[in-house]
Amino acid sequence: MANTSLPSRASLAGRLDDLPFTRRHLRLLTGSGVGWALDAMDVGLISFILAALTQQWGLSKTDAGWIASVGFIGMALGATLGGLLADRLGRRQVFALTLLVYGVATGASALVSGIAALLALRFLVGLGLGAELPVASTYVSEFAPARMRGRLIVILEAFWAVGWTAAALIAYFVIPASADGWRWAFALGAIPAVYALIVRWGLPESPRWLASRGRIAEADRIVSTFEADAGVEPAPAIRREPASRAMAVTSRARLTSLWNAEFRVRTACLWVVWLCVNFAYYGAFIWIPSILVDAGFDLVRSFGFTLIITLAQLPGYAVAAWLIEVWGRRTTLSVFLVGSAASAVFFGTSTAEATIIASGMALSFFNLGAWGALYAVTPEIYPTSLRGTGAGWAAGVGRIASIIAPLAVPVMLVAGGAPLVFVVFGACFVVAAAAAWGLVDRGGQALDDR
């Protein structure tokens, strides 16, 4: 006989969606956000470290491009595997493992004495961090109440600005201070991983994932702790459906489901957006410090300009977090991508200090607001049983563009200088803005728990 004391999956999802924002939500958001900040800190630091190592080790632009790209190769692999593992093993375990890989590899990077060792460790760093971001957005979206889900994901993504700002501050004050400044930068980047790893193990597993695996009682206990924190009395538990109605239960089925009739258009459009945004964002922000040095600014001044530009990321996230629940996901994403395109062209054609800083700040504002909207919409368009896989593969495919971008920039600089580079980036943003309209906007709606 069926156990009628257990709630249905639908009632569990409804209880999560009806909750107010609680201290447990805040802890979950910040615990997940620390890892996001670490990813940004790492990507930010390598952009500054490349500028320093190019001078100290006499690296060619090609060597520097490979140091950046090999990390993204690791990220591409990590994102695709991380999403699959998150759907199979759970969100929390994969979450913690990614930080462990990242922390060890980043700390070891401070000790390298040659480019080969640095390349190997950058791959491992990318492997850990690549798996983290799609899992983090999936994890938080599955706890967030429906009416504020998009806003919370954008706030989660705003931790990226915190990490990149920290990287810019470390670069400005630490890297130029001594010949070993870049080593200290790597060491500082590894320290927060220890804290984040501890926090991650204290976070609960996603009740939606547990319910999709038939572990209804465990899911119910976790939802009940959130209700108790909010002072909400749960409704009587009545089971009205089977424990699991997952669309896909194997890795192969999850991958093929991304391309069935229901999901193929949104998957194709999502991959186009991820490809274009990754190419333009990483191509620009990995190379901005070096491009400024090549333009005649010394290392300290270049890092100072980049720090100012980076500070515009936070208001970009703040505006996107507000608009995403007012305009919706697709409109917000598209508008911010068009703003990114205009800003990129403006930056690439600027020569005076004031216009470089102003256009760079505009690029930070619009581009990072677009990232927030993209991470909000990505996990929402797939059901629970393939949400991690869908988000992970979109991120993984996007990382292909981030691998190519650091290698393509030196070639484009030779062919047409900074104006050509940023016009190409602007075109990528326009294509992404058009593809965004092929996505499904589930703003304010319950997640699909199949």
Side-chain angles (χ1 to χ4, degrees), residues 63-133:
D63 290 337
W66 273 111
I67 291 173
S69 289
V70 75
F72 294 122
I73 294 173
M75 285 184 180
L77 184 60
T80 52
L81 292 178
L84 285 167
L85 289 173
D87 280 337
R88 182 174 181 179
L89 303 177
R91 307 341 186 182
R92 187 184 67 169
Q93 292 187 64
V94 176
F95 225 2
L97 179 62
T98 61
L99 272 176
L100 181 63
V101 173
Y102 158 82
V104 171
T106 300
S109 298
L111 306 175
V112 300
S113 57
I115 189 171
L118 184 57
L119 286 170
L121 288 169
R122 290 302 304 163
F123 174 79
L124 291 176
V125 168
L127 196 64
L129 292 180
E132 164 143 24
L133 297 189

Side-chain angles (χ1 to χ4, degrees), residues 356-384:
I356 289 172
I357 292 173
S359 57
M361 292 179 71
L363 182 58
S364 275
F365 176 92
F366 285 110
N367 199 187
L368 276 298
W371 270 118
L374 180 57
Y375 270 105
V377 74
T378 297
E380 290 183 344
I381 65 177
Y382 295 111
T384 297

Side-chain angles (χ1 to χ4, degrees), residues 218-394:
E218 293 176 65
D220 181 49
R221 283 195 294 270
I222 293 170
V223 175
S224 295
T225 62
F226 277 76
E227 290 173 328
D229 195 41
V232 173
E233 189 70 29
I238 302 174
R239 190 182 187 120
R240 299 187 183 280
E241 61 178 323
S244 177
R245 56 190 184 100
M247 283 193 65
V249 294
T250 66
S251 296
R252 180 183 178 87
R254 292 184 186 103
L255 287 172
T256 55
S257 294
L258 297 181
W259 294 99
N260 67 21
E262 182 179 358
F263 299 116
R264 65 170 65 107
V265 172
R266 66 185 77 172
T267 295
C269 290
L270 188 66
W271 286 17
V272 169
V273 176
W274 274 89
L275 280 165
C276 292
V277 174
N278 268 275
F279 184 83
Y281 174 78
Y282 288 108
F285 284 91
I286 286 292
W287 279 103
I288 280 177
S290 297
I291 288 173
L292 291 175
V293 170
D294 290 344
F297 301 104
D298 61 37
L299 202 63
V300 174
R301 205 169 183 192
S302 167
F303 288 179
F305 284 179
T306 308
L307 173 58
I308 295 170
I309 289 170
T310 300
L311 293 176
Q313 294 182 7
L314 281 170
Y317 284 124
V319 174
W322 174 62
L323 288 176
I324 200 164
E325 302 294 4
V326 178
W327 287 356
R329 277 61 162 154
R330 287 183 301 194
T331 302
T332 302
L333 176 57
S334 184
V335 168
F336 274 79
L337 286 169
V338 171
S340 299
S343 302
V345 175
F346 186 26
F347 182 84
T349 55
S350 297
T351 54
E353 290 184 15
T355 54
I356 289 172
I357 292 173
S359 57
M361 292 179 71
L363 182 58
S364 275
F365 176 92
F366 285 110
N367 199 187
L368 276 298
W371 270 118
L374 180 57
Y375 270 105
V377 74
T378 297
E380 290 183 344
I381 65 177
Y382 295 111
T384 297
S385 57
L386 44 129
R387 186 169 295 125
T389 300
W393 271 80

Side-chain angles (χ1 to χ4, degrees), residues 126-146:
L127 196 64
L129 292 180
E132 164 143 24
L133 297 189
V135 177
S137 58
T138 297
Y139 179 70
V140 174
S141 71
E142 290 182 345
F143 276 95

Side-chain angles (χ1 to χ4, degrees), residues 10-31:
S11 66
L12 284 171
R15 286 159 61 188
L16 284 170
D17 283 337
D18 291 340
L19 283 170
F21 188 78
T22 68
R23 288 174 298 175
R24 289 182 181 273
H25 286 107
L26 180 61
R27 183 185 177 196
L28 186 140
L29 183 64
T30 53

